[in-house]
Amino acid sequence: MDAMKNTILAIFIMLCAFSSQAFGQSVKPLSIQGGLGGGLSLGQSDLSDYNGYNLGGKLKLDVKMLPVKVVGHVHYNSLEDDQQRVLTQLGAETEDVSVEIVSVGAGIEYSVLPIPLIHPYVSADAAMNFFSGDQIDSFSRFGCGFGVGTEISLPVLPITFDIEAKYRLNNLIGKDDGEGTSNHIQLWAQVLFDLF
């Protein structure tokens, strides 16, 4: 009887040890993900006739003690208006006019309903935006963005899919007199990889 008790006790201690080891390995106090992606850019405000695409990357720092993830991004947005009318010696013609915006910024993502496989979040960021284009001189402005997104994690894959929609106020601070409002909606998807 004592041998049986000792065997059961030994099995119980081993199970406790293995489960605590497994728990310690599965919950990291800090993780970093990086990813690349792209999508659509839809002009708003004074850019309402402009549409195009975006490419970029994102880094996510997840400190388990914090209620939010810290996020950094670099985005390239190419917006084009193919209905711009230009007067020539032969009359009015249409020609493509493009605006390019490179955005470098940082912000936060707050998970609103973490459920298995899908992790919806709300996000906000601040960014420095660098403008260039066909008919404008290059300049920079400070702006911000607000959005919603979701991460999709499939246990069989070593990657995470991140889908986000964000309203970007590109020239919120630093406008010249008479300068219009250059906002856009950014829809994009990316693939995230664990870096740390």
Side-chain angles (χ1 to χ4, degrees):
M1 193 66 151
D2 287 337
M4 189 173 180
K5 286 182 183 178
N6 289 339
T7 304
I8 292 172
L9 181 62
I11 292 172
F12 178 73
I13 290 171
M14 285 186 349
L15 286 174
C16 288
F18 286 134
S19 65
S20 65
Q21 259 188 341
F23 181 76
Q25 289 175 354
S26 65
V27 178
K28 297 189 291 188
L30 169 70
S31 65
I32 300 174
Q33 289 182 305
L36 297 173
L40 298 175
S41 296
L42 310 172
Q44 301 291 299
S45 316
D46 292 334
L47 290 178
S48 59
D49 292 331
Y50 290 74
N51 294 305
Y53 66 92
N54 62 72
L55 302 170
K58 185 190 280 190
L59 279 177
K60 293 190 179 192
L61 175 65
D62 186 6
V63 180
K64 300 302 179 192
M65 292 171 40
L66 298 178
V68 297
K69 290 183 180 179
V70 179
V71 179
H73 75 262
V74 177
H75 296 147
Y76 167 79
N77 293 274
S78 177
L79 298 155
E80 192 170 277
D81 176 10
D82 58 1
Q83 299 300 318
Q84 182 73 34
R85 296 186 63 78
V86 177
L87 294 177
T88 67
Q89 292 177 343
L90 301 175
E93 297 178 357
T94 61
E95 84 175 23
D96 295 346
V97 177
S98 67
V99 174
E100 297 173 349
I101 306 169
V102 175
S103 175
V104 180
I108 58 171
E109 292 178 357
Y110 176 72
S111 183
V112 292
L113 185 63
I115 55 178
L117 305 180
I118 299 174
H119 308 281
Y121 62 82
V122 293
S123 62
D125 66 48
M128 182 58 73
N129 300 301
F130 303 90
F131 290 78
S132 60
D134 293 336
Q135 298 183 3
I136 60 172
D137 294 329
S138 297
F139 62 93
S140 60
R141 298 288 183 266
F142 189 77
C144 63
F146 304 96
V148 295
T150 188
E151 290 182 5
I152 302 170
S153 302
L154 302 176
V156 296
L157 297 176
I159 58 175
T160 301
F161 299 98
D162 186 8
I163 302 167
E164 185 178 35
K166 188 166 278 188
Y167 191 88
R168 305 207 65 85
L169 297 94
N170 297 308
N171 60 342
L172 189 63
I173 298 174
K175 288 184 190 178
D176 291 336
D177 290 339
E179 182 178 331
T181 301
S182 301
N183 299 339
H184 76 279
I185 294 172
Q186 181 174 300
L187 307 171
W188 81 315
Q190 66 173 343
V191 178
L192 294 170
F193 301 90
D194 290 335
L195 302 177
F196 176 76

